[in-house]
Amino acid sequence: MTDLIHASEIIRRTAAETAAAIAAGEVSAVEVAQAHLDRIGAVDEKVHAFLHVDTEGALSAARAVDAKRAAGEELGPLAGVPLALKDVFTTKGVPTTAGSKILEGWVPPYDATLTRRLKDAGVVILGKTNMDEFAMGSSTENSAYGPTGNPWDLSRIPGGSGGGSAAALAAYEAPLAIGTDTGGSIRQPGAVTGTVGVKPTYGTVSRYGLIAFSSSLDQGGPCARTVLDAALLHEAIAGHDPLDSTSIDAPVLPLVEAARHGATGDLSGVRVGVVKEFGGEGYQAGVMQRFHESVEILRGLGATVVELSCPSFSYALPAYYLIAPSEASSNLARFDAMRYGLRVGDDGTRSAEEVTALTREAGFGPEVKRRIILGTYALSSGYYDAYYGSAQKVRTLITQDFARSFADVDVLVSPTTPTTAFPIGERADDPMAMYLADLCTIPSNLAGNSAMSVPCGLAPEDNLPVGLQIIAPAMADDRLYRVGAAVEAALNNQWGHPLLEEAPAL
Ligand code: GLN
């Protein structure tokens, strides 16, 4: 019994607390890993956050941290802390599917730079998390391996594409997780599961070994239950990588320091802009209510708040759904049945072209096919200027809207997503309804700047989590942590406990 109580305490700790407890010798990294593996064993049949649990890899990484400590070596700030990794980053010797049948059974021969950095930091990778196929989706229903349940209500979506990572956090299966955000896939799952998710500035977290969806938009980033934990993880994964040609060669910002500063609750001198375009029709009343309360909290902490207009944001969604599929149609050409995973119809009678076609037909799901067709069309000669070319111009206008806004304010805020978690199946056959989930998140991907979703309460009508989106300029990700930590601290004080303590449906 005491062991059980102990294990349930261990899994509820923040990453910062766990790292401190391991460093102080109060608990071993192996005990921490085992408590989380047991939790996964107990609840993941219902949640389905994981596609693959790497029990042996996790325990051996934990043993290495314990050995290091025993030898008196210094441990990094996240040594021994377990993490759930989105199944879109390559992991040497551990299956990687990107949520697709076409990669079923593929075992990468190398680690992504992000994977390598986590391992070097002593982070214990528990396994790979479920996701929409090739990160295309907002609900994780497009996974070829079945949906993930939202730990607040298992009949609802956990967001997407990184629903597995967010659900793992909310179900206390891991204190840290990694996502990727091409159009909102870190922030939107964060919002609907009551967790924190950050899209770093494009180019500051390496894409080497990240299976490409839309290369000019894809960005890996941290997911956690607290702002401080997200900052610790963000610092561990960020930094220049010569293996990624779009990687920015600049020092990692002091994000942990910014989070600690923000937690003191002082936002004096911070100028906040409310994006006028995000609200109104299509937005759930309870989402707007919590959003407006958050703005009042910011004001109460000393920030000045103004309303701003970003007129081009209204065109972000259509521009995104030309640019992302265009890049995807090119990136996904590499799945040709010759190099990775699945191969269909290779019986000695068929040509390579026929085998490629049969494999792609069987290996890609409907959403992936839809996007390849859309992207191929948008890039075809005669249509290129009208579609892809126009979308790129809209992208420039959006970047200009941001630039104009950030001349007057330090951060922008909006709801992260227009509604709370919707029921599994509700939008599955309606791509347009699904795409609307990313209305507020997509502009930052198109412009390449940084943004965070932080929990800001439950919508009164359904008692489901609402996310506040905080948007900062490129290379100013530290502002997200200052403002996010301040909001988090103010709300925790108001409620007397963190949001997730209200504990989900498990
Ligand atoms: N939901 C968006 C899409 O389907 C964003 C996905 C993402 O960020 N990976 O493309």
Side-chain angles (χ1 to χ4, degrees):
M1 195 58 193
T2 46
D3 274 0
L4 266 180
I5 293 170
H6 191 49
S8 96
E9 267 170 27
I10 289 175
I11 60 169
R12 279 172 175 76
R13 285 181 182 152
T14 66
E17 289 164 353
T18 293
I22 290 171
E26 287 161 21
V27 65
S28 72
V30 168
E31 280 176 280
V32 170
Q34 193 58 56
H36 287 89
L37 290 166
D38 290 347
R39 175 70 171 174
I40 293 169
V43 303
D44 208 53
E45 210 171 312
K46 286 190 266 181
V47 180
H48 194 222
F50 285 87
L51 292 177
H52 180 84
V53 179
D54 184 18
T55 305
E56 265 324 296
L59 290 173
S60 95
R63 277 193 294 270
V65 170
D66 288 336
K68 238 179 134 176
R69 185 180 177 276
E73 288 177 48
E74 198 172 334
L75 300 179
L78 288 177
V81 179
L83 174 138
L85 182 58
K86 189 174 181 182
D87 201 23
V88 72
F89 284 96
T90 58
T91 39
K92 188 176 182 178
V94 175
T96 300
T97 67
S100 181
K101 282 283 177 217
I102 212 159
L103 279 175
E104 194 166 24
W106 183 57
V107 180
Y110 73 110
D111 275 332
T113 296
L114 179 139
T115 307
R116 170 100 332 263
R117 289 200 176 161
L118 292 171
K119 288 180 179 176
D120 290 347
V123 169
V124 171
I125 300 173
L126 296 169
K128 309 295 288 289
T129 57
N130 199 15
M131 56 184 283
D132 286 299
E133 187 175 3
F134 289 108
M136 298 174 187
S138 305
S139 68
T140 314
E141 292 166 287
N142 294 336
S143 167
Y145 303 96
T148 294
N150 187 324
W152 287 83
D153 174 348
L154 292 169
S155 71
R156 289 175 186 263
I157 59 108
S161 62
S165 285
L169 298 173
Y172 294 96
E173 293 172 283
L176 296 177
I178 291 288
T180 59
D181 196 308
T182 303
S185 285
I186 289 177
R187 288 163 286 162
Q188 183 257 7
V192 301
T193 57
T195 59
V196 179
V198 178
K199 185 198 95 70
T201 296
Y202 180 81
T204 57
V205 173
S206 172
R207 287 186 299 111
Y208 179 73
L210 159 59
I211 297 172
F213 161 16
S214 181
S215 308
S216 76
L217 303 166
D218 296 342
Q219 188 54 229
C223 313
R225 289 192 293 257
T226 70
V227 173
L228 177 62
D229 282 1
L232 287 161
L233 180 56
H234 194 152
E235 284 194 8
I237 59 175
H240 181 240
D241 178 13
L243 298 176
D244 172 356
S245 64
T246 56
S247 174
I248 296 173
D249 193 358
V252 178
L253 293 163
L255 307 171
V256 171
E257 193 186 306
R260 292 195 198 280
H261 177 195
T264 64
D266 173 23
L267 289 184
S268 52
V270 176
R271 299 163 304 165
V272 176
V274 173
V275 184
K276 206 169 90 186
E277 281 73 16
F278 292 148
E281 210 192 319
Y283 287 74
Q284 193 177 318
V287 167
M288 290 317 290
Q289 185 185 327
R290 293 299 178 230
F291 171 67
H292 291 310
E293 289 167 9
S294 305
V295 172
E296 286 318 306
I297 286 170
L298 291 169
R299 233 191 276 272
L301 296 175
T304 51
V305 182
V306 293
E307 195 175 66
L308 283 174
S309 176
C310 296
S312 306
F313 284 14
S314 319
Y315 306 106
L317 199 72
Y320 172 89
Y321 278 99
L322 288 166
I323 292 168
S326 294
E327 294 186 13
S329 70
S330 164
N331 273 324
L332 270 56
R334 63 169 60 84
F335 301 103
D336 57 2
M338 302 299 140
R339 284 178 279 195
Y340 324 88
L342 188 71
R343 180 179 295 174
V344 176
D346 184 15
D347 58 6
T349 70
R350 293 188 172 90
S351 69
E353 285 76 14
E354 286 171 311
V355 170
T356 300
L358 286 171
T359 302
R360 287 167 71 85
E361 163 63 26
F364 288 141
E367 183 63 24
V368 174
K369 287 177 184 158
R370 183 179 298 125
R371 299 211 188 182
I372 292 173
I373 292 168
L374 250 168
T376 311
Y377 183 78
L379 290 177
S380 55
S381 76
Y383 294 106
Y384 184 95
D385 284 339
Y387 294 117
Y388 187 75
S390 305
Q392 289 291 17
K393 288 179 191 156
V394 170
R395 193 170 186 174
T396 302
L397 293 175
I398 288 167
T399 306
Q400 289 170 351
D401 273 0
F402 274 123
R404 215 176 306 114
S405 303
F406 288 131
D408 294 333
V409 297
D410 301 302
V411 294
L412 294 168
V413 292
S414 78
T416 304
T417 185
T419 70
T420 55
F422 45 89
I424 290 176
E426 190 183 84
R427 301 190 192 177
D429 298 322
D430 187 350
M432 289 308 284
M434 190 70 88
Y435 297 169
L436 287 175
D438 294 316
L439 208 55
C440 313
T441 48
I442 279 174
S444 295
N445 299 88
L446 291 171
N449 57 275
S450 57
M452 167 189 281
S453 180
V454 65
C456 66
L458 304 178
E461 59 269 50
D462 54 20
N463 275 320
L464 290 168
V466 177
L468 168 71
Q469 179 176 228
I470 305 162
I471 307 174
M475 305 309 285
D477 309 32
D478 50 334
R479 296 184 196 171
L480 305 173
Y481 287 97
R482 180 171 174 202
V483 177
V487 173
E488 177 185 64
L491 288 172
N492 287 351
N493 290 340
Q494 186 176 316
W495 300 323
H497 56 72
L499 177 64
L500 262 167
E501 289 289 302
E502 289 204 13
L506 287 171

